[in-house]
Amino acid sequence: MSLVSGVAWWIRNPSTVKGHCWSHQQHLGTAPVRVWTFDVSCFAGPITSLRFELAYTHTMYYLAQVYRNLGENERAATYCHSTLQRQLQLNQFSPMEWALNAATLSQYYITKGQYMEGRHCLAAATVISGLAGEVPSEAAARESETESERREQLQQKRADIARCWIKYCLNLLQDAKKLLEDNIGELDTDRQDELKRARRQEEEEEEKGRKSALLFGSEDTFDSIASVEEKVMCLLPLGFTEARAVFLVGQNSVTQAKEYFQMDGYVTDHIEILQDHSSLFRALAFFEEDLERRCKMHKRRVDMLEPICNDLNSRYYLLIRRQLMFELAETYNEMMDLKLTLANRQADNHSLDSHTIKKFNHLCSASAKYFQMFLDSLCSPEGKQPEHLEEEVLRPALVARFRVARLHSKLISSSPPVQLENLNRALENYKYVVQYCEAHPEAAAAVETELELSTEMVGLLPLKINRLKSRMAAND
């Protein structure tokens, strides 16, 4: 969820000001904006200090909208934060609306890497949402339309807040991964040690920054908000233990969100939550040193996504199915690489036993199957490959071709005819990548590494194929 999309995060409560306002267009810079002016002389009743405070709060709300429309998101977020803060101070807010707005504001801070502020917004959202009371029971909802509507609203908005928590945990883990990975995507232990040494100073500075932050709450709620904050860190995790603690908070939020956004009725939302859950496992696996346990984490991803992918109707959910196909293909591919690395470590002479070969080939074939399913989904109803790949599928399609080629060249078989078939299929797919980029030069920039390797393999594989054919002919 970004600042300008997803859940609406602007305060809407005009009834708190008992006066009139009108608008006219002005130009700020080059953009026309709607400027709101209050006629304070029209306030109903005496003009009290509270009414001026409410008018001031509304002014901040409108400024937040103005700066959002101008694309000045940082200033918009500042005014939104101040609006929320003042609503609490003046005790003029609807608990669930306020909580949802604060939770969604957190997503802006997260995109900026300001996790302390993001966590504070989410913790405040969790506490303030509790002021709305318990969710009415199913029995009460059946007996009263009012209770039914209240049950629906409370469940949905609390599920939305849980989804914001998921994004917080996921982004925290992913940013930590980016910081710690080396040039091949593995954990850089030297960098990890360096950052751990610097952590003490960072923790000391956190408290200093905390005091300068805009904090929500009152004497009644501040301690509760701080208590929620203590359940999850706002510094980037540097090891498996810290990463797992963040993961568990995210996973708990997944469970909460799925209680409302169920597959029956909320297909897209439910699948997005599952995809986030899968991403949480993938981010956590990066920190796991035990390759067997890491492989099991990826297996959990397969178990949650594969049934959904196979059951979805492509006619209505084609784009989602493509996402799932590609993710499943990559997940099986990661498991295959992990199994091969593990097997080579355990084998004294680097020879693989039949069980390991069977497992390796299964993972290899499963990955190739889902990459091929993705490619097939791009074909016309008659099964014809597209001559031109649209921009949104250009890189995924060429990467899928490259991966299918690589996977077929890795399959292990003692049968020369099967080996020959696998190598020919690999060559066919490598050639496709090269030939497509030759016919569409603009595509080369999207797959530079894959194109370079494909070009190399188009030159080498024919030699390997000819040697295999020669051996087969000699044996005949």
Side-chain angles (χ1 to χ4, degrees):
M1 235 178 284
S2 67
L3 176 66
V4 294
S5 64
V7 183
W9 63 293
W10 308 105
I11 316 306
R12 296 183 179 87
N13 193 14
S15 61
T16 56
V17 177
K18 307 291 186 181
H20 299 287
C21 61
W22 64 91
S23 65
H24 60 282
Q25 276 201 345
Q26 288 187 1
H27 282 73
L28 295 183
T30 59
V33 297
R34 185 67 62 179
V35 177
W36 294 83
T37 308
F38 286 102
D39 179 5
V40 295
S41 65
C42 295
F43 279 113
I47 303 176
T48 63
S49 174
L50 175 60
R51 294 187 184 280
F52 274 116
E53 292 291 347
L54 294 174
Y56 186 85
T57 301
H58 270 71
T59 302
M60 287 191 163
Y61 153 59
Y62 291 124
L63 282 171
Q65 292 188 85
V66 168
Y67 285 118
R68 182 192 62 171
N69 291 330
L70 289 173
E72 297 185 32
N73 291 340
E74 184 175 354
R75 297 185 74 174
T78 299
Y79 278 110
C80 185
H81 197 134
S82 298
T83 302
L84 292 169
Q85 187 182 43
R86 289 178 60 82
Q87 283 195 317
L88 282 184
Q89 292 169 347
L90 298 171
N91 196 27
Q92 296 289 324
F93 63 94
S94 165
M96 286 311 304
E97 291 296 334
W98 190 99
L100 189 57
N101 292 329
T104 314
L105 176 58
S106 74
Q107 306 303 284
Y108 167 76
Y109 289 127
I110 291 169
T111 62
K112 296 297 182 181
Q114 296 174 271
Y115 287 104
M116 183 177 68
E117 291 84 352
R119 180 184 66 174
H120 184 65
C121 287
L122 285 168
T126 299
V127 171
I128 299 301
S129 69
L131 301 180
E134 296 294 326
V135 175
S137 65
E138 289 187 29
R142 284 194 296 268
E143 294 177 3
S144 167
E145 185 176 342
T146 301
E147 288 296 279
S148 176
E149 291 178 358
R150 183 167 178 270
R151 174 183 170 84
E152 172 73 14
Q153 290 181 1
L154 288 180
Q155 286 184 320
Q156 180 175 353
K157 289 175 180 177
R158 284 174 178 165
D160 283 330
I161 292 170
R163 293 182 73 175
C164 290
W165 271 113
I166 296 170
K167 295 297 186 184
Y168 172 88
C169 295
L170 180 55
N171 279 268
L172 192 66
L173 290 172
Q174 289 177 336
D175 281 355
K177 178 179 180 291
K178 291 175 186 176
L179 186 66
L180 291 168
E181 65 184 355
D182 57 21
N183 57 359
I184 60 171
E186 290 296 321
L187 180 64
D188 186 335
T189 54
D190 291 336
R191 176 69 172 152
Q192 183 185 39
D193 292 340
E194 176 188 340
L195 290 170
K196 283 182 177 180
R197 287 192 295 270
R199 171 61 65 83
R200 182 180 298 276
Q201 180 181 353
E202 190 174 355
E203 288 176 338
E204 291 172 354
E205 291 178 351
E206 179 195 6
E207 181 64 24
K208 181 181 178 182
R210 195 80 170 80
K211 292 175 181 176
S212 65
L214 289 171
L215 303 183
F216 292 131
S218 62
E219 291 182 2
D220 296 331
T221 61
F222 185 81
D223 288 343
S224 298
I225 293 172
S227 177
V228 173
E229 288 181 303
E230 290 173 359
K231 295 178 180 179
V232 60
M233 63 193 301
C234 65
L235 299 176
L236 298 180
L238 300 179
F240 180 79
T241 301
E242 291 179 345
R244 183 175 180 273
V246 175
F247 168 85
L248 290 175
V249 172
Q251 183 167 248
N252 183 57
S253 298
V254 166
T255 301
Q256 293 177 40
K258 286 197 300 183
E259 287 179 3
Y260 178 79
F261 292 108
Q262 297 182 16
M263 193 67 177
D264 183 15
Y266 296 96
V267 175
T268 302
D269 292 291
H270 185 84
I271 292 174
E272 286 179 0
I273 293 167
L274 287 182
Q275 288 175 304
D276 283 343
H277 196 188
S278 171
S279 296
L280 283 168
F281 269 109
R282 184 180 186 184
L284 180 63
F286 170 79
F287 293 90
E288 177 56 71
E289 296 180 4
D290 187 311
L291 298 187
E292 194 63 51
R293 289 178 61 186
R294 192 190 298 186
C295 201
K296 289 179 180 178
M297 291 179 192
H298 291 307
K299 182 62 167 62
R300 288 286 302 276
R301 298 172 62 200
V302 168
D303 290 343
M304 70 175 70
L305 297 181
E306 198 164 43
I308 299 291
C309 180
N310 293 331
D311 290 343
L312 274 181
N313 188 325
S314 293
R315 181 178 177 183
Y316 302 107
Y317 301 105
L318 178 59
L319 294 180
I320 294 176
R321 279 205 79 207
R322 284 177 179 169
Q323 292 174 6
L324 295 174
M325 290 170 190
F326 204 91
E327 183 169 356
L328 283 165
E330 288 193 315
T331 305
Y332 273 118
N333 191 71
E334 289 183 70
M335 293 171 66
M336 177 201 71
D337 286 337
L338 287 170
K339 285 292 185 183
L340 185 59
T341 301
L342 192 62
N344 286 333
R345 284 184 183 180
Q346 295 172 347
D348 294 335
N349 59 358
H350 294 274
S351 62
L352 305 178
D353 59 55
S354 59
H355 174 75
T356 301
I357 291 174
K358 183 178 180 181
K359 182 68 175 177
F360 174 84
N361 282 343
H362 166 72
L363 296 172
C364 196
S365 298
S367 180
K369 180 187 78 170
Y370 280 108
F371 276 128
Q372 191 60 53
M373 285 172 63
F374 173 83
L375 292 169
D376 292 343
S377 75
L378 303 175
C379 296
S380 67
E382 296 77 27
K384 185 180 178 181
Q385 292 284 345
E387 294 182 4
H388 177 76
L389 295 168
E390 298 297 330
E391 184 178 355
E392 62 269 18
V393 298
L394 173 62
R395 175 167 170 76
L398 293 178
V399 168
R401 284 280 187 175
F402 172 80
R403 295 282 180 82
V404 168
R406 175 179 176 268
L407 289 162
H408 277 99
S409 66
K410 280 182 169 289
L411 282 167
I412 301 171
S413 175
S414 58
S415 168
V418 174
Q419 292 176 28
L420 182 61
E421 181 184 354
N422 290 335
L423 290 175
N424 280 325
R425 290 195 64 180
L427 180 59
E428 175 189 340
N429 283 281
Y430 281 130
K431 279 183 176 180
Y432 179 92
V433 176
V434 174
Q435 291 169 357
Y436 186 89
C437 291
E438 287 176 350
H440 306 82
E442 70 281 1
V447 285
E448 289 183 1
T449 302
E450 290 81 6
L451 176 58
E452 181 182 351
L453 292 171
S454 295
T455 303
E456 182 180 345
M457 295 307 295
V458 166
L460 293 175
L461 271 184
L463 300 176
K464 189 173 183 180
I465 289 172
N466 288 334
R467 285 197 298 268
L468 179 57
K469 284 181 177 179
S470 298
R471 289 201 303 270
M472 290 172 64
N475 290 335
D476 289 342

